[in-house]
Amino acid sequence: MVRTEEWRRLPAVVLLILAVALVYYAGGRIGLHQSVVVNGAEVTPLWPPTGIALAALLWMGLRTWPGIALGTYFAIERIGDFSLSGIGIVAGNTLAPVCAYLMLRKAGFRSEVDRLRDALALVFLGGLLPMLISATIGTWTLVLSGDLPPDRFWPVWSAWWAGDAMGVLVVTPLLLVLRRIRRPGEGVGSYRVAEVTALVITSVVVTVVATRSSLSVLFLVFPLIIWAAVRFQLAGSAPCTLLVSVLAISAASDRAGPFDGQTLLEIMINLQALNGAAALTGLLLSAMVTEQNNVRLKIEQVCGELAELVEHLARGRPER
């Protein structure tokens, strides 16, 4: 009976794996549009598939890992001929998000990211630490296969690690938010809609100016992220952070604005510093605000229940 039930579920699991592979591949295609060549290796400042892979694992569990491996294969095959070195890259890109998922589960991570501990777990256990695995395995694979000289290991490794980590810090929160989005109800006032519209327009204009201006005004994006995080929590800060990262990467690729006249190494350092700071600001601040709001609501609920109890006791008290 159990075996029959498993066979019935098999087609759904296969479709799920193929869907994850397709989305992973699509994310890879998007990321490759902004790729750069660092010491002969093609890397991306923001690799969306790592964020997609971790979100898929958080939603559907370990059964999706073959889809991650398959999507990695398709992405590599699209860049060039799949060789023996590609097996190591597939293994590293699959193992890193799986380890991230396992560590997040061990830490009691909640996908709502409504606590500061959840945001910190996503940063360190989901992004910074496990992506060392994919960067190390991938770069060593290129070295051992002869595709990368050993003296170029560290520049490629650091760019690889930063791109994978940024994929988690920027893309995963956005996907976790999109899953919880519901159609706005009648309770949404016109003031709220006007504020969202103002935030979107201001974010686009200010970010374009900050990333394309010859003046060093990249810091102007942080008030926008703070605004989005304080007023709309992760639902506001995640899209805002993605917008900042995409426009900054576009400006860096064009060597425009503050990235003009810089070497490739300087561009990568400044770009990843901006993306990392923006992601951390939005993620941590939105989690803190959400946690405080939840505490306030619980206190109000307890106070309301206490007031009802006092009123009930007062009504039942006999008169003298």
Side-chain angles (χ1 to χ4, degrees), residues 3 12 21 34 37 40 43 64 93 115 176 181 230 239 296-297 301 306:
R3 187 178 297 274
Q34 303 294 339
V37 178
V43 296
T64 59
N93 282 22
R115 302 172 299 177
L176 294 179
I181 285 182
V230 171
R296 178 178 56 82
L297 291 175
Q301 181 181 0
L306 183 59

Side-chain angles (χ1 to χ4, degrees), residues 21 26 51 56 67 73 78 93 99 106 115 141 153 156 163 176 188 198 202 207 255 263 280 283 315 319:
Y73 165 76
R78 188 66 179 80
N93 282 22
C99 289
K106 187 69 174 178
R115 302 172 299 177
T141 299
F153 175 88
V156 174
L176 294 179
V188 180
T202 305
T207 305
R255 296 180 182 269
T263 64
L280 289 175
L283 189 58
R315 286 198 304 264
E319 296 183 359

